[in-house]
Amino acid sequence: MTEFSINISQMAWPCVLALAWLLGDILNRVLHLPRISVYALTGFVLVNLFPDYLSPLDNHSLVLLANIAFGLMLFEFAYRINLRWLSLNPWVAVTGLLEAGATFAAVYCVALWYGSTQLMSLSLAALAMSSSPAAVLRVINEQRSSGQVSERILHLTAINSVLAVFAFKLILVYGVMQAPGDLLKASAQSLQVMLVACASVLAGTVFGIVLPTILRWRGRQAQDSTLGFAFAVIVLVALTHATGLSPILATLSFGLVARHRRISLGRTQRNFGVLGELLAVVLFVFAASTLAFSQVLAGVMLGGLLLVMRLGSKIIVTTLLAPVSGISMRKGMLSGLGLAPVSVFLILNLEQPNKLGMAMTNEWYALVAMTLILEIAGPILTHLALFAAKETPEEMEQ
Amino acid sequence: MPLGEFMHSDALSMGVELELQLVNLSDFDLTAASPDLLHLLAKRPFPGNVTPEITQSMIEICTDVQTRYTGVLGQLTEIRDTLVRAADILNIGICGGGTHPFQKWTDRKIFSKPRFAEVSALYGYLAKQFTIFGQHVHIGCTSGDDAMFLLHALNRYVPHFIALSASSPYVQGGDTLFNSARLNSVYAFPLSGRAPFLLSWDEFANSYFSKMEKTGVVKSMKDFYWDIRPKPEYGTIELRVCDTPLNVERAAALAAYLQVLCSYLLERREAAPEEDDYLVYNYNRFQACRFGFDGVTVHPKTYESSILREDILATLNRLKPHAETLDAQAALTHLSEVARTGNDAQYLRQQYQESGSPEGMVHSAIHMFRDRRRRTRWVAM
């Protein structure tokens, strides 16, 4: 006689993902909340309620799926970045540099004032500079928005993220150098970081040149481009995992090169169609599920303070520089507000926090708290910014 | 409100209006950028005029009143350069072309303006489907009667302008097999097509227009979407059948052709226009839209058939003395070359073949608008 039994832990994650999608859909219709905010909230609440069944870090399939989802979003994000614009309108680049710099300075000062060490304060400041490419792209695509606020949110997010990664890496090296007698180790680590970064960029560049060539050679790029690019991103993510390269740098380079050196021109379907929709649920549920309730609670005070400083500095700079960069101050202010989403998922993929001795400290808790708040509230603020700028479709504005 | 007096303009003065596409440089779809662009352009002097159009993915530019081809070309070039500079600041593309090859009309947003809200409320989805892009040319007339005469005398030449300007071969992602598919969209409007055959301004204004106004169907001349319509407040007739060409040089040449043609017609050497001319009007118009220069045109007086290309070349040749008087020889030479080598619709189809996608067509159209002398390069903008 065959014995019938159910392994609840094997069922748990698919059910959570399905529930997150369903709740996202319902709350989007009823309250117009961005779906990704609901995904994040669902992931955070359920994983913290049932930690025995839903341990995300043990689930390798989930990690791989989340990485593929992240890769697809980073590729699409980079594909929409026009580097030439930054030279044609240098005020956009200046705005990005200044608002990231202002955020860094504001958060650094507040963290020092709160009693953090210099190294911790620098690290928090670097992480706070970043905006989340995945979240802003997702909200812009979900709202089908178009206009200057949408364009500037995308490009400022790109500048912020690059600066944040660059600054964080420098601080890592600086941290290692501070330790007595570790100059050689620091130099070796810097060299390794440089080599990995270069190799990752090279891998993405090769994909960005080869894939359009193949699509053009096949003569059906208009029909096949979405699927072709999706498969290429999946292969690239797998390749970087297998070789220890950075999937983030590789997929970003792939997207940038595909846009700027494209031989064929094909309309890549936004969000990669149904595949992208599905993987977005996985990504945002997973990202929030890595955050623990106790950590959030412990860091909520400092986290809230840092959040206000971060958003305030971004909004002030984008508002003041708006007229010289060709838009109204109102749209400048809304561009700053739209940069609210932050995600340490990107940073966590680059470096484990305990390399800096950050884990289990007040500052780390603050970062966790700030991340959770902005995982949920960030997309809502971006949504509000796009809506207030009248860049969403007519039916939504009515 | 009765139709106002027909204002007197200098004979054969001209003005050009161009409706232009605003394009997202990431996916080459239309983008709702006109509020941002108009905000930016309002901050500095503009050589001519720029106004919003019915959807936020369009703008309309127009020249001042000009008397010569070089004046029109010069101002259109200045306008083009100003627009390109502003578009660069905002990371958008601007281009001509009668239709966008793959935009979905459902994605369009109506520009916030009372007139557009009224049109949208009346015509429903047709208003968004009106996301098509045309060139309008005004020719100054010294009297309303001259305007009505020219309006009808031009009927046989309307296919010339359709074929020479045709640049809308693709609609909603598919090849329509037309050279100008844009005019099919205009046909959906109830007050489109040809104007009623009246040669007296007095009769037009006080009889026809007054009756139409009493029906409640129209309130002003703007409610007529005719191929050619009188514009009493400017003292002009307005030719509306042209697609927006891919570059301003072509637009200026078309305006000059109309000016020279009107100069020729006003000599009244041709047989006077009559109602029966319109027996072949819709057929000729269809042939030009569908087949371009290869279309067949039937002469309204003799009923002789000829290939449109030959008819255009013969007409351009016949107009040479008038072109010399009006300093428009270069314009007519340009159009002769177009008739021999192919119009913008053919160029766009060729771009589709070379790039393999409709996005490639938009990409080349943007480069063509920036400056046709620049080589089209497959780099991001």
Side-chain angles (χ1 to χ4, degrees), chain B residues 135-184:
Chain B
Q135 172 179 356
H136 303 167
V137 184
H138 288 262
I139 296 292
C141 303
T142 51
S143 71
D145 287 351
D146 268 1
M148 296 311 289
F149 166 79
L150 276 178
L151 188 156
H152 292 293
L154 281 166
N155 79 80
R156 138 169 163 63
Y157 298 101
V158 162
H160 291 203
F161 290 91
I162 294 173
L164 285 165
S165 68
S167 60
S168 50
Y170 272 65
V171 172
Q172 303 280 296
D175 190 339
T176 60
L177 302 182
F178 276 64
N179 275 243
S180 171
R182 164 182 159 273
L183 283 174
N184 297 329

Side-chain angles (χ1 to χ4, degrees), chain A residues 79-82 84-85 88-89 92 144 146-149 151-152 155 216 219-223 259-268 270 322-329 331 390-395 397, chain B residues 24-33 35-36 39-40 43-44 56 87-92 102 104 106-111 120 128 173 352 354-361 363 370 374 378-381:
Chain A
Y79 197 85
R80 293 185 65 174
I81 300 302
N82 183 5
R84 187 167 174 262
W85 187 30
L88 289 170
N89 185 355
V92 174
R144 291 183 290 133
S146 65
Q148 280 302 295
V149 172
E151 284 296 303
R152 283 163 198 248
H155 285 76
R216 190 179 185 190
R220 294 182 58 198
Q221 61 267 38
Q223 294 86 357
R259 179 198 169 108
H260 287 83
R261 288 186 54 83
R262 59 191 144 202
I263 300 166
S264 65
L265 290 164
R267 195 174 359 154
T268 303
R270 287 198 172 175
V324 288
S325 70
I327 54 173
S328 65
M329 289 183 88
K331 284 215 164 187
K390 296 182 185 293
E391 295 191 1
T392 51
E394 236 164 6
E395 62 269 24
E397 286 169 15
Chain B
N24 182 316
L25 293 177
S26 294
D27 58 14
F28 294 99
D29 197 355
L30 288 179
T31 183
D36 295 320
H39 170 82
L40 181 62
K43 288 180 172 179
R44 55 196 76 180
Q56 291 187 9
D88 282 346
I89 289 173
L90 299 179
N91 194 34
I92 55 175
F102 60 86
K104 288 184 182 168
T106 46
D107 290 342
R108 304 286 67 90
K109 288 173 72 177
I110 301 292
F111 192 93
S120 180
K128 288 188 179 181
Y352 182 90
E354 287 179 15
S355 68
S357 69
E359 286 82 357
M361 298 164 76
H363 183 267
R370 290 178 80 90
R374 287 182 203 165
W378 295 107
V379 293
M381 286 169 288

Side-chain angles (χ1 to χ4, degrees), chain A residues 266-348:
Chain A
R267 195 174 359 154
T268 303
Q269 203 177 342
R270 287 198 172 175
N271 290 331
F272 283 96
V274 177
L275 172 74
E277 299 287 338
L278 177 73
L279 290 177
V281 184
V282 177
L283 176 66
F284 287 98
V285 170
F286 173 78
S289 74
T290 59
L291 308 173
F293 182 71
S294 56
Q295 294 175 339
V296 172
L297 207 60
V300 77
M301 279 297 291
L302 178 58
L305 193 59
L306 296 181
L307 192 152
V308 170
M309 297 309 294
R310 172 184 180 271
L311 206 52
S313 54
K314 286 186 184 302
I315 288 175
I316 289 170
V317 173
T318 54
T319 306
L320 291 179
L321 291 184
V324 288
S325 70
I327 54 173
S328 65
M329 289 183 88
R330 185 172 179 275
K331 284 215 164 187
M333 189 264 288
L334 294 172
S335 304
L337 183 64
L339 293 172
V342 66
S343 171
V344 289
F345 190 75
L346 183 150
I347 307 299
L348 289 175

Side-chain angles (χ1 to χ4, degrees), chain B residues 202-221:
Chain B
D202 187 52
E203 204 179 343
F204 178 83
N206 299 323
S207 177
Y208 174 79
F209 186 84
S210 297
K211 280 185 200 168
M212 285 298 286
E213 200 182 23
K214 277 180 196 164
T215 64
V217 174
V218 297
K219 289 179 185 158
S220 74
M221 282 303 296

